[in-house]
Amino acid sequence: MFESTWLYVILLFILGFITYRRKSLDFIGSAVMVIMGIIIIFSAGVNWLFLIVLFLVMSLLATRYSKKYKMSLGEFEGRRTSKNVISNGVVACFMAAFGGYYMPFVGGFIGAIATATADTLASEIGVLDQNPRLITTFQKVDPGTNGAVSSLGTAIGIVGAAIIGIAAYFLGVIPDPLIAIGVSVISGTVGCFMDSILGALFENRDMLTNEHVNLIATIVGALVGILLI
């Protein structure tokens, strides 16, 4: 058991190296990801880490999708930094660290990951929708506007959250499939919409940065997950 745990740690370092070399994360971002992963492995277990990796893979694929079109809009984010990693992952890391001692934190972990996944997929795929509307006024806005929502983005965000719930069940993080999927979809959707509301009200006015919005949204998603467990 001890040897297999350290094998996963080595694989985590390899994953960090790959994300850095492929310019998905900068050096510090990759290092922070590895540190968070190690905390999760030794506090909650490898299966919890797999959910983080699943989020990472889906977010990277979504980011690369239609890269040229996003670049033409000025919406291609490219290499992410440690700020992105922390704002999307620190809440889930905290929940995992204490999930073994307080059962509702399991829901908080799923809620945080589901929110980060739903928000990332909704942003990266939703920008392809030509009819986004500001969530606070429903006024039609340009693709990529902070606080904009679309049918495509909302749908793909819910699908992403559901995938996290399905994986949580098969990995044994939550043993009941209905609870796993329900917690993931509800908390992920609520957190994703909270991200849009904060973007429309505060990020557009330069009162909050994108990282602040992501962090608050994952906190909200985690709280919803805790309440649902």
Side-chain angles (χ1 to χ4, degrees), residues 18-99:
I18 291 173
T19 57
Y20 171 68
R21 287 300 301 269
R22 290 185 62 85
K23 298 182 179 180
S24 299
L25 297 173
D26 65 10
F27 178 78
I28 298 178
S30 296
V32 171
M33 181 194 72
V34 171
I35 292 171
M36 287 184 175
I38 291 173
I39 293 173
I40 292 172
I41 287 176
F42 285 99
S43 60
V46 173
N47 287 356
W48 290 50
L49 177 66
F50 284 155
L51 289 175
I52 296 281
V53 174
L54 179 59
F55 155 67
L56 176 64
V57 171
M58 286 195 289
S59 64
L60 294 179
L61 290 175
T63 299
R64 296 289 178 179
Y65 186 73
S66 294
K67 176 180 176 180
K68 291 183 178 180
Y69 176 69
K70 292 175 184 176
M71 291 180 70
S72 70
L73 294 176
E75 293 297 331
F76 182 69
E77 191 164 353
R79 174 174 276 184
R80 287 178 164 85
T81 67
S82 58
K83 292 181 180 179
N84 299 114
V85 177
I86 293 172
S87 63
N88 280 294
V90 69
V91 176
C93 184
F94 178 86
M95 294 293 162
F98 295 96

Side-chain angles (χ1 to χ4, degrees), residues 10-224:
I10 294 172
L11 292 175
L12 184 61
F13 272 97
I14 294 174
L15 178 62
F17 178 75
I18 291 173
T19 57
Y20 171 68
R21 287 300 301 269
R22 290 185 62 85
K23 298 182 179 180
S24 299
L25 297 173
D26 65 10
F27 178 78
I28 298 178
S30 296
V32 171
M33 181 194 72
V34 171
I35 292 171
M36 287 184 175
I38 291 173
I39 293 173
I40 292 172
I41 287 176
F42 285 99
S43 60
V46 173
N47 287 356
W48 290 50
L49 177 66
F50 284 155
L51 289 175
I52 296 281
V53 174
L54 179 59
F55 155 67
L56 176 64
V57 171
M58 286 195 289
S59 64
L60 294 179
L61 290 175
T63 299
R64 296 289 178 179
Y65 186 73
S66 294
K67 176 180 176 180
K68 291 183 178 180
Y69 176 69
K70 292 175 184 176
M71 291 180 70
S72 70
L73 294 176
E75 293 297 331
F76 182 69
E77 191 164 353
R79 174 174 276 184
R80 287 178 164 85
T81 67
S82 58
K83 292 181 180 179
N84 299 114
V85 177
I86 293 172
S87 63
N88 280 294
V90 69
V91 176
C93 184
F94 178 86
M95 294 293 162
F98 295 96
Y101 306 99
Y102 185 57
M103 179 60 187
F105 278 8
V106 177
F109 175 78
I110 299 299
I113 295 297
T115 295
T117 302
D119 176 51
T120 302
L121 268 60
S123 298
E124 295 293 347
I125 305 299
V127 73
L128 305 179
D129 194 310
Q130 297 299 311
N131 296 294
R133 295 185 179 274
L134 200 65
I135 192 170
T136 50
T137 64
F138 295 104
Q139 178 184 359
K140 189 172 180 179
V141 292
D142 294 329
T145 299
N146 295 322
V149 295
S150 65
S151 55
L152 175 61
T154 300
I156 197 67
I158 292 173
V159 170
I163 291 174
I164 294 297
I166 293 169
Y169 164 67
F170 281 108
L171 290 170
V173 177
I174 295 181
D176 188 306
L178 294 180
I179 293 177
I181 296 172
V183 169
S184 186
V185 169
I186 294 172
S187 58
T189 302
V190 171
C192 186
F193 279 131
M194 177 56 67
D195 185 282
S196 297
I197 292 171
L198 292 172
L201 295 178
F202 301 105
E203 191 176 355
N204 278 337
R205 300 174 182 174
D206 295 324
M207 297 171 67
L208 291 175
T209 65
N210 180 253
E211 288 77 21
H212 293 147
V213 170
N214 288 341
L215 177 61
I216 296 171
T218 54
I219 291 174
V220 171
L223 290 175
V224 173

